[in-house]
Amino acid sequence: NAGVMQNPRHLVRRRGQEARLRCSPMKGHSHVYWYRQLPEEGLKFMVYLQKENIIDESGMPKERFSAEFPKEGPSILRIQQVVRGDSAAYFCASSPSNPLGQGATLYNEQFFGPGTRLTVL
Amino acid sequence: AQTVTQSQPEMSVQEAETVTLSCTYDTSESDYYLFWYKQPPSRQMILVIRQEAYKQQNATENRFSVNFQKAAKSFSLKISDSQLGDAAMYFCAYRRLAYGQNFVFGPGTRLSVLP
């Protein structure tokens, strides 16, 4: 059973270009979380998605950043017109659906992918 | 909003010795989860140990144990018999109890293990 997969592992972009980061959750998982880790800092939450829905985007910058998790295929984190400050490691984590229904208290393990390291020149 | 603080940016320990990493957090909730994650140079996030706030007993995983002081909002990690492979960044994290909640991470402590 493959773990959470992210690609590319390393991405280099010039200022003003677009960056697309992909996250394939573990098999059977329908929840995806994206985190950003700036150099020498901890991970910061960006967005939480379920299939075809954005549940919580409170950590997403208001401009240039967007995320989607379509019915088929991986989750995509898209950064338009990248700037040097976007250079960071971007991690996704996935978890399965709650069999007791959304909001019910049940521990859910979240599994992290290996991250994508974005460098903006 | 919840916050997590790690006051030790760097720590070092001699191989086979014991080291304790500190973590404090702030929350108004009474039930939640606390975690320690290890991030080696590969950058993979590896779960070390998890504690449920409603459990009074401190969690242990082999050489790793925690000292959870709920009233003081303190959650330290003790690594016994340190090994060279323990060298990494260690992140303390908080998560609300409800399903589908995101992690709130501290800034991390870089642990060096000296041979």
Side-chain angles (χ1 to χ4, degrees):
Chain A
N1 187 10
V4 179
M5 299 175 68
Q6 291 188 248
N7 66 80
R9 293 294 308 277
H10 300 275
L11 181 62
V12 179
R13 285 288 178 265
R14 296 192 179 278
R15 280 178 296 170
Q17 292 183 319
E18 178 180 286
R20 281 182 180 243
L21 288 63
R22 294 174 184 77
C23 170
S24 297
M26 288 181 67
K27 186 176 181 180
H29 286 193
S30 58
H31 296 214
V32 166
Y33 310 77
W34 284 94
Y35 295 83
R36 176 167 66 175
Q37 184 179 29
L38 295 171
E40 305 302 319
E41 293 188 12
L43 281 70
K44 296 284 196 312
F45 168 72
M46 298 181 76
V47 61
Y48 163 37
L49 310 103
Q50 295 178 21
K51 287 279 187 181
E52 299 184 279
N53 283 307
I54 296 175
I55 305 303
D56 180 359
E57 55 182 348
S58 58
M60 284 279 270
K62 292 292 185 286
E63 298 178 351
R64 302 189 297 109
F65 285 73
S66 61
E68 63 176 6
F69 189 14
K71 188 177 180 181
E72 302 291 336
S75 175
I76 306 285
L77 179 67
R78 182 182 177 206
I79 311 172
Q80 295 178 290
Q81 299 174 341
V82 296
V83 300
R84 289 216 174 113
D86 297 333
S87 295
Y90 291 83
F91 290 88
C92 76
S94 75
S95 67
S97 298
N98 183 352
L100 300 181
Q102 187 64 25
T105 301
L106 176 69
Y107 177 71
N108 64 311
E109 186 73 59
Q110 294 182 18
F111 298 86
F112 281 91
T116 292
R117 188 162 190 172
L118 172 66
T119 301
V120 179
L121 302 177
Chain B
Q2 295 84 16
T3 58
V4 177
T5 301
Q6 294 177 251
S7 59
Q8 306 153 317
E10 296 183 357
M11 291 281 284
S12 62
V13 61
Q14 208 73 33
E15 197 175 4
E17 296 295 308
T18 295
V19 65
T20 298
L21 308 184
S22 301
C23 172
T24 58
Y25 59 94
D26 188 28
T27 182
S28 58
E29 313 244 334
S30 58
D31 287 324
Y32 43 87
Y33 299 112
L34 295 167
F35 305 80
W36 279 97
Y37 273 86
K38 171 185 177 181
Q39 188 181 46
S42 68
R43 290 186 171 268
Q44 179 69 52
M45 295 294 286
I46 301 167
L47 177 63
V48 175
I49 202 163
R50 179 184 90 236
Q51 174 80 43
E52 290 88 350
Y54 51 86
K55 290 185 178 178
Q56 293 186 344
Q57 188 173 5
N58 288 326
T60 63
E61 284 289 340
N62 300 315
R63 297 183 295 108
F64 298 87
S65 61
V66 298
N67 183 4
F68 173 46
Q69 300 290 325
K70 190 172 183 180
K73 295 181 181 174
S74 169
F75 183 60
S76 60
L77 174 70
K78 185 171 84 171
I79 306 174
S80 304
D81 185 26
S82 297
Q83 301 174 1
L84 294 176
D86 294 334
M89 284 291 290
Y90 285 82
F91 294 99
C92 179
Y94 167 100
R95 208 173 84 197
R96 294 177 65 192
L97 201 66
Y99 202 89
Q101 296 296 310
N102 59 277
F103 290 99
V104 177
F105 285 93
T109 296
R110 184 178 300 280
L111 178 66
S112 301
V113 180
L114 309 173

